[in-house]
Amino acid sequence: MRTVTVVGASLSGMYAARELRAQGFDGRLVIVGDEPHSPYDRPPLSKDFLTGRADEDQLALTDAEETTELDAEWLLGARARGLDARGRTVLLEDGRTVSTDGVVIATGASARRLPGCELAGVHTLRTLDDARALRAELTAGPRQVVVIGGGFIGAETASSCAALGHDVTVVEAAPLPLVPQLGPEMAAACAALHRRGGVGMVTGTGVAGLRGTIEVTGVELADGRTLPADVVIVGIGATPTTDWLAGSTLALHDGVLCDDGCVTGLPQVVAVGDVARVGGTRAEHWTSATEQPRVAVANLLAGRTVETTRSLPYFWSDQYGARIQFAGRRQDGDTVRIAEGELTDGAPAEGGFLALYERDGRMTAVLSVDRPRPFMRARRELLRGVDRARPAVV
């Protein structure tokens, strides 16, 4: 390959660019990004950046020295609008084209929106520009904040808003946040962190609409209640950014379909990060975005799948001064055992806890609240099980 184009100046895109050079690719490297910013780390946006403990320069994923070493051609503020795989060309919205031999798709995902999101005071939190706008509003004085969605982005944002002194309520349509991932007992334990942080929770009801004409004034719930709001933050998930691939020969279904090695139906095209459905799973987590590129690039340069990813879901979240970590695959019917620490009235006690999920005498997943060292030991054990079960690629 003489030219490789990374479409997406994201975390996974940046890691892919590094891997290309690390694995010996010395040809033309093009990095296309729809945002005007150089690659930055997203997790701090809902935490340290929102509360003012981190500035934009601390979010940067690269510096001047690394940029020079990568020797890449940067096309920032340039949105991709198409991929002509037969002609090996990436088409940009501004009319430019990039001829290429290989493509790494790393376009990530975009925040889902609700009707009424055009009202002033309504925010999503996915990009640096989103975080800038929300931080400016939250530092302008006390606000009544309603966070729609109790997942990780919603919970972390609610935690940050509470730390800034705002009156915060989280609305979650499910009976509890994170039940599919954690199961009801452990989801309840993590939801208790909201109460500890002084944040109200409304669960088991959806949102009927947003009230207001120019500015948002409230959130109307499906049960008829209305929550007053000066600021509304919509955290109801994200949609993989695949619209630019419509009409290509790539298979798309809630992401770009890949095999276990991040290879698409075209050997010269791989996908990584939030946009990639690898081996039937699409994982919107930092770890996937940083681990997949090594395997994807190896397969891209080989022209076929010679390596596969280590498929063990892992995520963490910082909320209300506590760190939540989870690894593995929980299924209905698994038993949950508190191995360290304890719950008090269903909430994490001082010092947190470590919970092991088990099935037929075998550990399937682990959850930690403020128990990082034993968590890492359990995670390593789960990873060893994954490695033993990985098929050989020949």
Side-chain angles (χ1 to χ4, degrees):
M1 292 186 178
R2 291 178 295 181
T3 300
V4 173
T5 301
V6 178
V7 185
S10 56
L11 176 70
S12 58
M14 189 65 200
Y15 270 71
R18 289 170 177 164
E19 284 294 338
L20 281 159
R21 293 308 192 206
Q23 295 187 34
F25 176 71
D26 59 1
R28 180 188 179 213
L29 174 58
V30 183
I31 303 174
V32 178
D34 62 348
E35 295 183 61
H37 318 293
S38 297
Y40 58 88
D41 205 14
R42 295 185 192 274
L45 294 180
S46 59
K47 294 170 283 208
D48 288 349
F49 182 80
L50 204 57
T51 57
R53 294 194 300 268
D55 293 322
E56 291 184 21
D57 58 349
Q58 294 170 272
L59 304 178
L61 290 174
T62 185
D63 55 24
E65 181 179 355
E66 183 180 30
T67 299
T68 300
E69 290 176 353
L70 279 177
D71 189 25
E73 180 181 339
W74 294 84
L75 302 179
L76 299 178
R79 185 182 297 272
R81 69 170 179 84
L83 174 64
D84 180 357
R86 179 174 298 178
R88 297 192 177 185
T89 303
V90 176
L91 314 174
L92 305 182
E93 279 193 348
D94 60 13
R96 287 180 290 175
T97 61
V98 180
S99 297
T100 189
D101 301 303
V103 175
V104 179
I105 299 172
T107 43
S110 57
R112 290 193 177 97
R113 301 173 69 84
L114 287 175
C117 274
E118 69 280 357
L119 293 172
V122 180
H123 299 265
T124 56
L125 185 54
R126 183 78 188 182
T127 68
L128 177 57
D129 289 339
D130 291 341
R132 283 173 172 172
L134 181 56
R135 186 164 85 162
E137 190 154 1
L138 293 175
T139 54
R143 295 286 191 272
Q144 283 189 303
V145 179
V146 174
V147 178
I148 302 173
F152 295 115
I153 290 296
E156 290 172 358
T157 305
S159 172
S160 295
C161 290
L164 291 169
H166 300 292
D167 182 356
V168 186
T169 301
V170 174
V171 178
E172 169 59 49
L176 282 170
L178 305 177
V179 169
Q181 295 91 343
L182 305 182
E185 182 183 358
M186 294 298 102
C190 291
L193 295 173
H194 291 286
R195 294 195 301 273
R196 177 188 297 178
V199 169
M201 282 204 75
V202 177
T203 59
T205 185
V207 171
L210 303 180
R211 288 192 174 181
T213 51
I214 297 174
E215 299 179 347
V216 69
T217 59
V219 176
E220 185 178 350
L221 303 180
D223 62 10
R225 288 179 291 171
T226 297
L227 303 177
D230 306 307
V231 175
V232 173
I233 301 160
V234 180
I236 55 174
T239 304
T241 305
T242 58
D243 55 325
W244 67 284
L245 294 168
S248 73
T249 57
L250 295 178
L252 307 175
H253 179 67
D254 186 37
V256 180
L257 300 188
C258 307
D259 66 11
D260 289 338
C262 304
V263 177
T264 71
L266 302 170
Q268 72 272 24
V269 179
V270 297
V272 292
D274 293 356
V275 74
R277 179 166 286 276
V278 179
T281 301
R282 190 172 67 85
E284 294 181 15
H285 299 305
W286 190 92
T287 308
S288 299
T290 57
E291 291 181 349
Q292 290 173 355
R294 185 193 64 79
V295 171
V297 165
N299 294 333
L300 177 67
L301 296 179
R304 63 187 182 91
T305 301
V306 295
E307 292 192 41
T308 58
T309 59
R310 303 172 81 187
S311 181
L312 180 73
Y314 166 65
F315 59 78
W316 80 89
S317 180
D318 295 317
Q319 305 171 21
Y320 307 104
R323 167 152 288 199
I324 301 170
Q325 294 172 284
F326 180 88
R329 291 185 176 86
R330 184 204 73 87
Q331 294 182 12
D332 292 341
D334 287 359
T335 59
V336 185
R337 175 170 60 89
I338 303 297
E340 293 190 17
E342 60 182 358
L343 301 180
T344 303
D345 296 328
E350 187 72 25
F353 68 90
L354 182 81
L356 302 181
Y357 296 77
E358 297 169 331
R359 186 185 322 127
D360 299 327
R362 181 176 57 87
M363 181 172 59
T364 58
V366 57
L367 169 68
S368 162
V369 175
D370 291 334
R371 296 272 175 151
R373 289 186 179 179
F375 172 83
M376 292 309 296
R377 289 195 294 269
R379 185 188 176 208
R380 284 195 293 269
E381 183 178 338
L382 287 168
L383 279 168
R384 285 194 291 269
V386 170
D387 287 339
R388 287 192 295 268
R390 290 171 75 187
V393 177
V394 295

